[in-house]
PDB file of all heavy atoms in Angstrom:
ATOM      1  N   MET A 375      -1.963 -13.648  38.036  1.00  0.00           N
ATOM      2  CA  MET A 375      -0.735 -14.308  38.472  1.00  0.00           C
ATOM      3  C   MET A 375      -0.970 -15.755  38.528  1.00  0.00           C
ATOM      4  O   MET A 375      -0.094 -16.571  38.881  1.00  0.00           O
ATOM      5  CB  MET A 375      -0.449 -13.858  39.948  1.00  0.00           C
ATOM      6  CG  MET A 375      -0.512 -12.329  40.119  1.00  0.00           C
ATOM      7  SD  MET A 375       0.736 -11.520  39.133  1.00  0.00           S
ATOM      8  CE  MET A 375       2.226 -12.267  39.802  1.00  0.00           C
ATOM      9  N   SER A 376      -2.172 -16.306  38.115  1.00  0.00           N
ATOM     10  CA  SER A 376      -2.492 -17.737  38.225  1.00  0.00           C
ATOM     11  C   SER A 376      -1.738 -18.595  37.165  1.00  0.00           C
ATOM     12  O   SER A 376      -1.579 -19.741  37.376  1.00  0.00           O
ATOM     13  CB  SER A 376      -3.971 -17.874  38.126  1.00  0.00           C
ATOM     14  OG  SER A 376      -4.449 -17.629  36.781  1.00  0.00           O
ATOM     15  N   GLY A 377      -1.455 -18.002  36.025  1.00  0.00           N
ATOM     16  CA  GLY A 377      -0.838 -18.800  34.946  1.00  0.00           C
ATOM     17  C   GLY A 377      -1.870 -19.601  34.181  1.00  0.00           C
ATOM     18  O   GLY A 377      -1.540 -20.359  33.241  1.00  0.00           O
ATOM     19  N   HIS A 378      -3.138 -19.470  34.514  1.00  0.00           N
ATOM     20  CA  HIS A 378      -4.256 -20.178  33.886  1.00  0.00           C
ATOM     21  C   HIS A 378      -4.713 -19.322  32.710  1.00  0.00           C
ATOM     22  O   HIS A 378      -5.539 -18.432  32.861  1.00  0.00           O
ATOM     23  CB  HIS A 378      -5.377 -20.470  34.856  1.00  0.00           C
ATOM     24  CG  HIS A 378      -6.376 -21.500  34.370  1.00  0.00           C
ATOM     25  ND1 HIS A 378      -7.057 -21.403  33.224  1.00  0.00           N
ATOM     26  CD2 HIS A 378      -6.754 -22.694  34.953  1.00  0.00           C
ATOM     27  CE1 HIS A 378      -7.886 -22.442  33.101  1.00  0.00           C
ATOM     28  NE2 HIS A 378      -7.685 -23.222  34.175  1.00  0.00           N
ATOM     29  N   HIS A 379      -4.243 -19.645  31.498  1.00  0.00           N
ATOM     30  CA  HIS A 379      -4.458 -18.787  30.335  1.00  0.00           C
ATOM     31  C   HIS A 379      -5.961 -18.694  29.953  1.00  0.00           C
ATOM     32  O   HIS A 379      -6.407 -17.541  29.572  1.00  0.00           O
ATOM     33  CB  HIS A 379      -3.677 -19.334  29.104  1.00  0.00           C
ATOM     34  CG  HIS A 379      -2.213 -19.345  29.378  1.00  0.00           C
ATOM     35  ND1 HIS A 379      -1.475 -18.204  29.698  1.00  0.00           N
ATOM     36  CD2 HIS A 379      -1.291 -20.332  29.407  1.00  0.00           C
ATOM     37  CE1 HIS A 379      -0.213 -18.498  29.760  1.00  0.00           C
ATOM     38  NE2 HIS A 379      -0.056 -19.810  29.657  1.00  0.00           N
ATOM     39  N   GLN A 380      -6.676 -19.771  30.084  1.00  0.00           N
ATOM     40  CA  GLN A 380      -8.109 -19.690  29.724  1.00  0.00           C
ATOM     41  C   GLN A 380      -8.922 -18.742  30.730  1.00  0.00           C
ATOM     42  O   GLN A 380      -9.746 -17.965  30.335  1.00  0.00           O
ATOM     43  CB  GLN A 380      -8.727 -21.069  29.755  1.00  0.00           C
ATOM     44  CG  GLN A 380     -10.176 -21.046  29.274  1.00  0.00           C
ATOM     45  CD  GLN A 380     -10.738 -22.455  29.159  1.00  0.00           C
ATOM     46  OE1 GLN A 380     -10.033 -23.434  29.273  1.00  0.00           O
ATOM     47  NE2 GLN A 380     -12.057 -22.540  29.039  1.00  0.00           N
ATOM     48  N   LYS A 381      -8.623 -18.900  32.028  1.00  0.00           N
ATOM     49  CA  LYS A 381      -9.226 -18.053  33.054  1.00  0.00           C
ATOM     50  C   LYS A 381      -8.811 -16.587  32.823  1.00  0.00           C
ATOM     51  O   LYS A 381      -9.640 -15.686  32.984  1.00  0.00           O
ATOM     52  CB  LYS A 381      -8.854 -18.550  34.468  1.00  0.00           C
ATOM     53  CG  LYS A 381      -9.522 -19.812  34.889  1.00  0.00           C
ATOM     54  CD  LYS A 381      -9.185 -20.092  36.319  1.00  0.00           C
ATOM     55  CE  LYS A 381      -9.904 -21.392  36.790  1.00  0.00           C
ATOM     56  NZ  LYS A 381      -9.584 -21.729  38.251  1.00  0.00           N
ATOM     57  N   ILE A 382      -7.556 -16.341  32.543  1.00  0.00           N
ATOM     58  CA  ILE A 382      -7.087 -14.968  32.295  1.00  0.00           C
ATOM     59  C   ILE A 382      -7.780 -14.339  31.082  1.00  0.00           C
ATOM     60  O   ILE A 382      -8.242 -13.232  31.114  1.00  0.00           O
ATOM     61  CB  ILE A 382      -5.560 -14.979  32.089  1.00  0.00           C
ATOM     62  CG1 ILE A 382      -4.843 -15.334  33.445  1.00  0.00           C
ATOM     63  CG2 ILE A 382      -5.096 -13.620  31.574  1.00  0.00           C
ATOM     64  CD1 ILE A 382      -3.364 -15.506  33.276  1.00  0.00           C
ATOM     65  N   ALA A 383      -7.904 -15.140  30.046  1.00  0.00           N
ATOM     66  CA  ALA A 383      -8.538 -14.627  28.781  1.00  0.00           C
ATOM     67  C   ALA A 383     -10.029 -14.302  29.073  1.00  0.00           C
ATOM     68  O   ALA A 383     -10.505 -13.234  28.628  1.00  0.00           O
ATOM     69  CB  ALA A 383      -8.544 -15.662  27.669  1.00  0.00           C
ATOM     70  N   GLU A 384     -10.672 -15.144  29.864  1.00  0.00           N
ATOM     71  CA  GLU A 384     -12.073 -14.885  30.168  1.00  0.00           C
ATOM     72  C   GLU A 384     -12.204 -13.721  31.077  1.00  0.00           C
ATOM     73  O   GLU A 384     -13.114 -12.814  30.912  1.00  0.00           O
ATOM     74  CB  GLU A 384     -12.718 -16.140  30.840  1.00  0.00           C
ATOM     75  CG  GLU A 384     -14.191 -15.979  31.168  1.00  0.00           C
ATOM     76  CD  GLU A 384     -15.086 -15.799  29.933  1.00  0.00           C
ATOM     77  OE1 GLU A 384     -14.616 -16.164  28.850  1.00  0.00           O
ATOM     78  OE2 GLU A 384     -16.172 -15.282  30.126  1.00  0.00           O
ATOM     79  N   TRP A 385     -11.327 -13.527  32.040  1.00  0.00           N
ATOM     80  CA  TRP A 385     -11.292 -12.425  32.955  1.00  0.00           C
ATOM     81  C   TRP A 385     -11.128 -11.114  32.202  1.00  0.00           C
ATOM     82  O   TRP A 385     -11.802 -10.095  32.433  1.00  0.00           O
ATOM     83  CB  TRP A 385     -10.157 -12.555  33.971  1.00  0.00           C
ATOM     84  CG  TRP A 385     -10.054 -11.532  34.996  1.00  0.00           C
ATOM     85  CD1 TRP A 385     -10.664 -11.524  36.278  1.00  0.00           C
ATOM     86  CD2 TRP A 385      -9.333 -10.288  34.941  1.00  0.00           C
ATOM     87  NE1 TRP A 385     -10.373 -10.386  36.921  1.00  0.00           N
ATOM     88  CE2 TRP A 385      -9.510  -9.639  36.169  1.00  0.00           C
ATOM     89  CE3 TRP A 385      -8.480  -9.742  33.982  1.00  0.00           C
ATOM     90  CZ2 TRP A 385      -8.896  -8.359  36.461  1.00  0.00           C
ATOM     91  CZ3 TRP A 385      -7.884  -8.482  34.280  1.00  0.00           C
ATOM     92  CH2 TRP A 385      -8.082  -7.825  35.457  1.00  0.00           C
ATOM     93  N   LYS A 386     -10.146 -11.085  31.243  1.00  0.00           N
ATOM     94  CA  LYS A 386      -9.908  -9.904  30.407  1.00  0.00           C
ATOM     95  C   LYS A 386     -11.117  -9.545  29.607  1.00  0.00           C
ATOM     96  O   LYS A 386     -11.456  -8.376  29.443  1.00  0.00           O
ATOM     97  CB  LYS A 386      -8.678 -10.087  29.569  1.00  0.00           C
ATOM     98  CG  LYS A 386      -7.370 -10.024  30.288  1.00  0.00           C
ATOM     99  CD  LYS A 386      -6.176 -10.122  29.328  1.00  0.00           C
ATOM    100  CE  LYS A 386      -4.876 -10.023  30.095  1.00  0.00           C
ATOM    101  NZ  LYS A 386      -3.722 -10.029  29.129  1.00  0.00           N
ATOM    102  N   LYS A 387     -11.784 -10.526  29.065  1.00  0.00           N
ATOM    103  CA  LYS A 387     -13.004 -10.320  28.213  1.00  0.00           C
ATOM    104  C   LYS A 387     -14.103  -9.688  29.004  1.00  0.00           C
ATOM    105  O   LYS A 387     -14.692  -8.678  28.573  1.00  0.00           O
ATOM    106  CB  LYS A 387     -13.438 -11.606  27.619  1.00  0.00           C
ATOM    107  CG  LYS A 387     -14.664 -11.535  26.701  1.00  0.00           C
ATOM    108  CD  LYS A 387     -15.062 -12.864  26.144  1.00  0.00           C
ATOM    109  CE  LYS A 387     -16.299 -12.689  25.261  1.00  0.00           C
ATOM    110  NZ  LYS A 387     -16.733 -14.022  24.726  1.00  0.00           N
ATOM    111  N   GLN A 388     -14.328 -10.230  30.175  1.00  0.00           N
ATOM    112  CA  GLN A 388     -15.375  -9.710  31.041  1.00  0.00           C
ATOM    113  C   GLN A 388     -15.037  -8.263  31.515  1.00  0.00           C
ATOM    114  O   GLN A 388     -15.839  -7.361  31.608  1.00  0.00           O
ATOM    115  CB  GLN A 388     -15.624 -10.579  32.279  1.00  0.00           C
ATOM    116  CG  GLN A 388     -15.943 -12.073  31.901  1.00  0.00           C
ATOM    117  CD  GLN A 388     -17.268 -12.249  31.401  1.00  0.00           C
ATOM    118  OE1 GLN A 388     -18.026 -11.338  30.941  1.00  0.00           O
ATOM    119  NE2 GLN A 388     -17.770 -13.517  31.419  1.00  0.00           N
ATOM    120  N   CYS A 389     -13.745  -8.064  31.866  1.00  0.00           N
ATOM    121  CA  CYS A 389     -13.319  -6.764  32.367  1.00  0.00           C
ATOM    122  C   CYS A 389     -13.451  -5.724  31.291  1.00  0.00           C
ATOM    123  O   CYS A 389     -13.723  -4.549  31.591  1.00  0.00           O
ATOM    124  CB  CYS A 389     -11.864  -6.883  32.878  1.00  0.00           C
ATOM    125  SG  CYS A 389     -11.795  -7.678  34.561  1.00  0.00           S
ATOM    126  N   ALA A 390     -13.153  -6.133  30.093  1.00  0.00           N
ATOM    127  CA  ALA A 390     -13.208  -5.214  28.901  1.00  0.00           C
ATOM    128  C   ALA A 390     -14.622  -4.664  28.797  1.00  0.00           C
ATOM    129  O   ALA A 390     -14.829  -3.451  28.598  1.00  0.00           O
ATOM    130  CB  ALA A 390     -12.808  -5.938  27.619  1.00  0.00           C
ATOM    131  N   TYR A 391     -15.615  -5.536  29.028  1.00  0.00           N
ATOM    132  CA  TYR A 391     -16.985  -5.061  28.932  1.00  0.00           C
ATOM    133  C   TYR A 391     -17.289  -4.076  30.065  1.00  0.00           C
ATOM    134  O   TYR A 391     -17.915  -3.033  29.853  1.00  0.00           O
ATOM    135  CB  TYR A 391     -17.944  -6.273  29.002  1.00  0.00           C
ATOM    136  CG  TYR A 391     -19.404  -5.876  28.897  1.00  0.00           C
ATOM    137  CD1 TYR A 391     -20.062  -6.069  27.680  1.00  0.00           C
ATOM    138  CD2 TYR A 391     -20.088  -5.419  29.985  1.00  0.00           C
ATOM    139  CE1 TYR A 391     -21.366  -5.709  27.543  1.00  0.00           C
ATOM    140  CE2 TYR A 391     -21.478  -5.158  29.913  1.00  0.00           C
ATOM    141  CZ  TYR A 391     -22.083  -5.250  28.639  1.00  0.00           C
ATOM    142  OH  TYR A 391     -23.425  -4.894  28.513  1.00  0.00           O
ATOM    143  N   LEU A 392     -16.842  -4.438  31.295  1.00  0.00           N
ATOM    144  CA  LEU A 392     -17.127  -3.549  32.446  1.00  0.00           C
ATOM    145  C   LEU A 392     -16.453  -2.210  32.322  1.00  0.00           C
ATOM    146  O   LEU A 392     -17.046  -1.207  32.645  1.00  0.00           O
ATOM    147  CB  LEU A 392     -16.682  -4.275  33.738  1.00  0.00           C
ATOM    148  CG  LEU A 392     -17.463  -5.556  34.087  1.00  0.00           C
ATOM    149  CD1 LEU A 392     -16.812  -6.264  35.264  1.00  0.00           C
ATOM    150  CD2 LEU A 392     -18.937  -5.236  34.425  1.00  0.00           C
TER     151      LEU A 392
END
Side-chain angles (χ1 to χ4, degrees):
M375 311 299 297
S376 68
H378 195 301
H379 299 300
Q380 185 175 347
K381 285 184 178 179
I382 291 173
E384 183 63 20
W385 183 90
K386 287 185 175 182
K387 180 180 179 181
Q388 307 282 19
C389 284
Y391 184 97
L392 294 173

